[in-house]
Amino acid sequence: MLKQRGYIYESKHEGWYSVSDETFYPQSAVHLTLDPATGRKFMASQETGNEVEWTSENNYHFRMSILRDRLLQHYADNPQFVEPSTRMQDVVQQVTDGLSDLSISRPVERLSWGIPVPDDTSQTIYVWLDALINYLTKANYPFQTPGQEHAAGWPADVHVIGKDIVRFHCIYWPAFLLALDLPLPKQIMTHAHWTLGQEKMSKSRGNVVNPFFALERFGSDTMRYYLIHSGGIKDDSDYDNLFIIQGYNNLRGSLGNLVTRVVRGQGWDVRRAVKSGQTDDSAEGRTHLEALKGLRSAVDQRMTRLQPGAAIAEVLSIINQ
């Protein structure tokens, strides 16, 4: 469909290509860096830190540049399209600075695995174009019962991705959908990473956490609380078993003590306590009551802005008063 609509053409492409990231980077997105272990200098992506190499080849291109204004208009009409707002600003700035047409295939001798380009077996479809379309394939969109096109979940209410693939999901993916006049996800939440010892987790380095061991040791509720309370949306969070224990102990000391006081038996009446709280005319009582009345709205606003950790903090701030 993209080719039928005139968005695909064949041309020579030159640029910095990362084998690890499977993508081309413009000159502005790469820099010269140094491997501290070997002293070797090499060009790398500023975004991922992975090495890039200068590549020149003939392949197919997607006319992404002509969608710049439509993308900017969508961002303007939907200012919370990308959360958090700092990454929304980065996306808008990248598109404002200008978009190049996107290479969407590679010669089969350079990329043998993957789906061949229709009618041209000498080229393999660029992995991100193929991968992103799978979101629609999984939802069987729009080939569903008439009137029930959205039954399988597309467009997504919230599309959750990691911060290292923002460009692909917040620029390339919307551009593909706009070109096809298909609905975009309503919102994209971009989360930060969990680190270990202040370093990004990596299987090759061995600094990873086995989630099944953690669940067996601490239990699912404790882990849910820790991940939501301490997990990074805007900034990375460092994983440590000590942090899990400290967080659980703090919760037990605040929420646990509150529950104990509420459900205790002798001389305690929940109904009488609630009525007393509503009629407490002291300055402290009025302040606490107003905070309780506003709690539901405050939590709802945080959740609407995709800030679950901040929502928990709103509840804890009342408990800890």
Side-chain angles (χ1 to χ4, degrees), residues 231-303:
I233 301 298
K234 181 179 178 181
D235 301 309
D236 292 345
S237 294
D238 203 46
Y239 182 96
D240 194 305
N241 288 337
L242 179 61
F243 297 157
I244 300 174
I245 296 170
Q246 289 176 341
Y248 178 75
N249 287 337
N250 291 338
L251 185 64
R252 184 172 59 180
S254 55
L255 179 61
N257 285 340
L258 174 63
V259 171
T260 299
R261 292 196 300 269
V262 170
V263 301
R264 69 185 182 183
Q266 188 175 5
W268 180 260
D269 186 304
V270 175
R271 183 183 296 276
R272 187 174 69 247
V274 171
K275 289 182 177 179
S276 175
Q278 291 177 331
T279 58
D280 186 352
D281 199 37
S282 67
E284 182 180 5
R286 290 195 302 271
T287 299
H288 198 63
L289 183 59
E290 289 302 313
L292 284 171
K293 288 180 177 178
L295 180 59
R296 180 175 180 177
S297 175
V299 170
D300 183 66
Q301 289 179 24
R302 294 293 192 179
M303 293 301 292

Side-chain angles (χ1 to χ4, degrees), residues 143-171:
F143 308 106
Q144 295 172 320
T145 303
Q148 299 182 21
E149 291 83 1
H150 309 292
W154 193 264
D157 291 327
V158 180
H159 197 154
V160 181
I161 64 166
K163 68 175 185 178
D164 53 336
I165 49 177
V166 167
R167 185 157 50 92
F168 306 109
H169 286 79
C170 303
I171 300 177

Side-chain angles (χ1 to χ4, degrees), residues 77-214:
D77 293 341
N78 302 273
Q80 295 178 7
F81 178 62
V82 178
E83 288 287 348
S85 59
T86 51
R87 296 202 184 98
M88 179 81 227
Q89 294 167 8
D90 291 341
V91 167
V92 172
Q93 189 61 56
Q94 288 183 52
V95 177
T96 300
D97 290 344
L99 289 178
S100 301
D101 288 348
L102 181 66
S103 171
I104 58 169
S105 74
R106 302 214 67 202
V108 69
E109 60 268 18
R110 291 179 179 266
L111 186 63
S112 58
W113 61 270
I115 299 176
V117 170
D119 303 322
D120 188 350
T121 56
S122 70
Q123 295 276 320
T124 303
I125 295 178
Y126 169 56
V127 65
W128 277 105
L129 174 61
D130 172 44
L132 291 167
I133 293 297
N134 277 326
Y135 291 124
L136 298 181
T137 304
K138 175 62 175 66
N140 198 32
Y141 186 88
F143 308 106
Q144 295 172 320
T145 303
Q148 299 182 21
E149 291 83 1
H150 309 292
W154 193 264
D157 291 327
V158 180
H159 197 154
V160 181
I161 64 166
K163 68 175 185 178
D164 53 336
I165 49 177
V166 167
R167 185 157 50 92
F168 306 109
H169 286 79
C170 303
I171 300 177
Y172 295 179
W173 181 220
F176 295 151
L177 293 171
L178 287 173
L180 295 171
D181 293 323
L182 292 175
L184 277 62
K186 299 174 184 177
Q187 197 172 29
I188 301 178
M189 185 183 81
T190 66
H191 61 78
H193 292 152
W194 281 99
T195 59
L196 191 64
Q198 303 298 328
E199 292 185 355
K200 183 178 178 181
M201 292 189 192
S202 169
K203 289 183 179 180
S204 60
R205 295 178 181 177
N207 63 331
V208 294
V209 175
N210 188 320
F212 300 105
F213 289 170

Side-chain angles (χ1 to χ4, degrees), residues 293-321:
K293 288 180 177 178
L295 180 59
R296 180 175 180 177
S297 175
V299 170
D300 183 66
Q301 289 179 24
R302 294 293 192 179
M303 293 301 292
T304 300
R305 292 301 302 271
L306 307 180
Q307 300 169 347
I312 290 180
E314 294 281 359
V315 176
L316 292 179
S317 69
I318 300 294
I319 295 175
N320 294 327
Q321 281 188 3

